[in-house]
Amino acid sequence: MAKAFFRLQKFLRRIQFLLFFLTAAYLMAGSLLLLQRTRLVLQQGSRGTPTNQALPVPEEMSRVGIIDPRALQNPPSPRLLVGMDALQEPALEQRHSPHWLMSRNSELRQLRRRWFHRFTSDQEPLQTAGFKAMKHTAEHKGTYMGCFTHDSRERTLKGAVFYDLRKMTVAHCQEACAERAYSYAGLAYGAECYCGNTLPAAAAKPEECNSECKGEKGAVCGGVNRLSVYGVEQLRAAARPRRNVIYRGCFRAPENLTDTFPASLIQPNLTVEMCSEFCSKKEFPLAVIRGQECYCGYPTRRFSLHEGTDGRRCSGTHNASSTAGGEYCLVYQTPVQDTRCTDRKFLTTKSKVFVALSSFPGAGNTWARHLIEHATGYYTGSYYFDGALYNKGFKGEKDHWRSRRTICVKTHESGKTEIEMFDSAILLIRNPYKSLMAEFNRKYAGHLGYATDRNWKSKEWPDFVNSYASWWASHVLEWLKYGKRLLVVHYEDLKQSLIPKLKEMVEFLNVTVTEDRLLCVENNRDGNFKRSGAKQKNFEPFTQEMKALINRYILTVDEALRGRNFSGLPREYVPR
């Protein structure tokens, strides 16, 4: 009995030791795996990879421009992509062929997704810093006017509207409205800012404005269908409005100005400032001057601003137009936004046709979305999510891209599977030179900024061109190959002939739009994402080698477009 008990005790000790050994081995393996994954994350989060690092690439794979699938799990930097190409260069005519470009597009999609995700995460600190600066400069609180009812369809504050779902404050809204010459700022839902020059008519109970500002604890920013309205005081003397009065030109006056324009003023010694201020208070985007007469209104079919005349007919004083028989008038754009086309909504029923708005990054996709949304009155969607765009009013940004509640969906994807998911697509193409520079600016300075001289002169720029130039070409080639129904739109044509091209796009989307709404879009053509500020003059970032590379891709795309019976690329693309 004792002998049997001793054997059992010995066996249990062995089992205990074995379990201890297995547990220790398991913990060690887990620790090593955690260290390895941490190292990979740190490598992916770094800005670049040292040039002395290289990835082993089998010789037969490098010949056809395909990388090891294991490398796709940890997407290489553009520097490594260039290094891979250098290991084994294919023949020149093969390298720029449609087959080579489309085969290489798989690796570029991996690189693109990595950069998009990194950009989205990198923008948060930049937006936070900008918000702190805005809060610091807003020294006044204005006068609280009370709580009022708010209807999103029939807005009482009919001026500009802004969103910031994470950092909205009373001061932020006041500053935004003041810079655009509005008298009142109203906040709703804790995150929405509305501007106007007339107080809402229907007051609400003070306790109904109970939504806390998203960016300011303890502050009230309206409520559900309720506005907290503040009077906007004058900006500090050192501050300058973002949008001044803009001269639109000299035009032949319509036969009956009183019928054409809903508001008017006759003032001796009338000045541009007097007329602009009067029209701004009336919330009209146009100030029209003929002699001592001031008229306010919108661009309409009777006065579309499409046929300007020689400026000398309106030269000299304002009375010069009167001495010419009252035939001509001076037109100025006030800081007030044209609000006839700013109302937007989701589709009431799911769309039966799934439409893509496809482009290479930097080709004007955001601008095209702005035009489409304001022309159709429906939100556009996105394959990605960009909080900066959402905060600027692109509410479809947060909607699932396959919900079919949006009029079309932004995408930069170009794989066969991604393309064939859509029933049709608007393919937006832009000059690759301009597209590459725009995307490089966005990568380093966001949607509205410019990359610094240091960025342009770093090794990142040539690596970026070498990797992204081929993607510009392969993006078009794959949509031409796999797209089911395409409308090709050239960015340059859209910019030059906005109304005709926008009509084509709207008809392609099967939406009926009035002429006045299109004129409103034209009046608000820039939106909130036009780059401004100090722009480098006479700056040429492209070397001769880069130009030779890009020009070959341009010729390849031009030939492919003509092969599909589309018009070729605009002549301005080459030579550069």
Side-chain angles (χ1 to χ4, degrees):
M1 182 70 182
K3 189 175 181 179
F5 179 79
F6 177 77
R7 287 181 178 176
L8 178 61
Q9 187 179 23
K10 187 177 181 180
F11 174 75
L12 291 175
R13 286 179 179 177
R14 288 180 179 177
I15 292 296
Q16 185 179 9
F17 178 80
L18 180 62
L19 290 174
F20 176 80
F21 176 80
L22 291 176
T23 303
Y26 176 81
L27 293 175
M28 291 178 62
S31 300
L32 290 174
L33 180 61
L34 179 61
L35 289 173
Q36 184 180 10
R37 294 188 66 180
T38 303
R39 182 181 178 186
L40 289 175
V41 171
L42 290 175
Q43 288 177 349
Q44 289 181 353
S46 61
R47 292 186 61 120
T49 305
T51 54
N52 58 359
Q53 290 185 4
L55 293 181
V57 182
E59 183 178 358
E60 61 272 17
M61 296 177 71
S62 63
R63 288 197 185 100
V64 294
I66 301 177
I67 64 175
D68 189 342
R70 291 171 297 178
L72 294 180
Q73 299 174 5
N74 181 24
S77 69
R79 184 174 297 159
L80 290 180
L81 289 175
V82 176
M84 293 174 191
D85 293 338
L87 292 176
Q88 187 79 29
E89 285 286 347
L92 186 62
E93 59 275 9
Q94 294 178 355
R95 179 176 179 180
H96 303 286
S97 66
H99 176 73
W100 182 88
L101 289 169
M102 287 187 288
S103 67
R104 189 174 187 231
N105 197 54
S106 61
E107 70 182 56
L108 289 172
R109 284 200 301 273
Q110 299 292 331
L111 173 64
R112 172 173 73 254
R113 286 173 180 145
R114 175 189 170 192
W115 278 10
F116 275 134
H117 290 310
R118 190 175 74 180
F119 170 75
T120 303
S121 61
D122 288 347
Q123 286 308 295
E124 188 63 29
L126 294 177
Q127 293 171 4
T128 303
F131 165 72
K132 288 180 179 178
M134 175 69 74
K135 184 176 181 181
H136 178 71
T137 56
E139 297 176 352
H140 62 272
K141 289 293 184 181
T143 303
Y144 182 61
M145 309 304 296
C147 184
F148 296 85
T149 59
H150 171 66
D151 187 344
S152 58
R153 295 183 178 179
E154 297 293 333
R155 291 195 285 118
T156 50
L157 294 181
K158 298 181 179 297
V161 56
F162 309 93
Y163 303 90
D164 198 328
L165 301 181
R166 297 192 66 182
K167 309 176 187 66
M168 179 61 74
T169 67
V170 175
H172 180 21
C173 180
Q174 287 179 321
E175 193 79 8
C177 294
E179 287 176 341
R180 289 159 178 82
Y182 290 104
S183 300
Y184 299 102
L187 298 105
Y189 302 100
E192 299 181 0
C193 172
Y194 298 87
C195 307
N197 288 322
T198 305
L199 273 177
K205 296 179 181 180
E207 59 269 20
E208 293 179 359
C209 288
N210 51 17
S211 295
E212 185 178 65
C213 299
K214 298 294 185 181
E216 188 176 5
K217 291 185 178 180
V220 178
C221 287
V224 178
N225 296 324
R226 295 295 182 266
L227 282 172
S228 297
V229 181
Y230 293 83
V232 176
E233 298 182 5
Q234 297 296 322
L235 288 173
R236 294 176 294 109
R240 295 184 61 187
R242 293 179 187 172
R243 297 178 58 195
N244 295 318
V245 177
I246 301 171
Y247 175 63
R248 295 293 298 271
C250 178
F251 296 86
R252 182 180 292 276
E255 292 184 3
N256 192 328
L257 277 78
T258 305
D259 291 342
T260 305
F261 301 109
S264 61
L265 170 71
I266 299 178
Q267 178 72 41
N269 301 319
L270 181 70
T271 64
V272 175
E273 290 75 15
M274 291 178 184
C275 185
S276 174
E277 183 177 358
F278 173 75
C279 293
S280 295
K281 291 295 183 182
K282 296 290 184 180
E283 295 188 357
F284 290 108
L286 293 185
V288 180
I289 299 175
R290 185 180 68 171
Q292 299 181 1
E293 302 170 357
C294 171
Y295 297 90
C296 311
Y298 305 98
T300 61
R301 284 174 292 178
R302 298 179 62 179
F303 194 68
S304 64
L305 301 184
H306 287 161
E307 298 179 0
T309 62
D310 189 346
R312 289 176 294 183
R313 297 182 183 273
C314 294
S315 61
T317 63
H318 302 312
N319 292 329
S321 57
S322 295
T323 57
E327 297 180 6
Y328 302 97
C329 57
L330 296 162
V331 180
Y332 294 87
Q333 180 118 15
T334 73
V336 173
Q337 184 180 19
D338 191 339
T339 58
R340 295 173 298 166
C341 57
T342 54
D343 58 303
R344 289 161 289 168
K345 61 183 179 180
F346 289 102
L347 296 175
T348 54
T349 58
K350 289 188 176 182
S351 174
K352 296 181 180 179
V353 181
F354 197 29
V355 186
L357 177 61
S358 177
S359 74
F360 176 80
N365 199 303
T366 300
W367 180 54
R369 290 177 67 187
H370 162 78
L371 297 175
I372 290 172
E373 287 194 3
H374 285 75
T376 64
Y378 295 111
Y379 288 115
T380 59
S382 177
Y383 188 82
Y384 321 96
F385 170 72
D386 190 327
L389 293 178
Y390 182 64
N391 288 339
K392 288 292 185 180
F394 289 90
K395 286 193 172 182
E397 196 74 21
K398 209 170 185 178
D399 205 55
H400 192 276
W401 65 278
R402 299 195 74 168
S403 69
R404 293 181 180 258
R405 297 201 309 152
T406 55
I407 194 69
C408 61
V409 177
K410 163 190 173 178
T411 180
H412 299 308
E413 302 300 308
S414 52
K416 180 176 183 294
T417 303
E418 288 85 351
I419 293 173
E420 291 181 343
M421 289 189 298
F422 294 96
D423 301 316
S424 58
I426 298 175
L427 180 58
L428 185 63
I429 305 175
R430 187 183 184 185
N431 188 322
Y433 290 101
K434 299 295 181 65
S435 294
L436 289 169
M437 292 182 68
E439 176 61 9
F440 194 73
N441 281 323
R442 185 196 68 85
K443 179 177 181 289
Y444 283 102
H447 289 282
L448 301 177
Y450 291 95
T452 64
D453 289 340
R454 182 179 179 182
N455 297 136
W456 292 106
K457 295 176 181 177
S458 68
K459 195 177 185 301
E460 288 282 345
W461 170 241
D463 290 348
F464 179 88
V465 172
N466 287 333
S467 297
Y468 270 51
S470 61
W471 175 20
W472 174 87
S474 61
H475 179 273
V476 178
L477 295 176
E478 293 202 1
W479 277 94
L480 289 175
K481 182 176 181 180
Y482 300 116
K484 299 174 186 176
R485 176 173 169 260
L486 294 178
L487 172 66
V488 176
V489 176
H490 297 289
Y491 172 89
E492 292 76 15
D493 294 341
L494 182 61
K495 190 174 180 180
Q496 183 70 28
S497 305
L498 180 64
I499 295 292
K501 288 297 177 182
L502 189 55
K503 278 184 177 179
E504 289 183 26
M505 297 166 69
V506 169
E507 290 174 359
F508 184 82
L509 296 171
N510 198 28
V511 178
T512 302
V513 179
T514 64
E515 189 74 18
D516 284 351
R517 190 169 184 110
L518 288 174
L519 290 171
C520 170
V521 177
E522 186 180 41
N523 210 33
N524 295 331
R525 61 185 300 159
D526 291 338
N528 293 322
F529 278 91
K530 181 179 180 180
R531 284 188 173 90
S532 59
K535 190 175 182 180
Q536 293 169 317
K537 298 180 180 180
N538 302 322
F539 177 65
E540 179 55 75
F542 297 96
T543 64
Q544 290 301 322
E545 292 77 9
M546 292 178 185
K547 293 178 183 179
L549 176 73
I550 295 170
N551 287 344
R552 286 192 290 270
Y553 289 142
I554 289 174
L555 294 176
T556 300
V557 171
D558 182 74
E559 182 179 355
L561 284 169
R562 296 180 188 278
R564 282 286 306 271
N565 296 322
F566 291 108
S567 60
L569 295 174
R571 295 184 62 183
E572 66 181 78
Y573 282 26
V574 286
R576 182 178 172 85

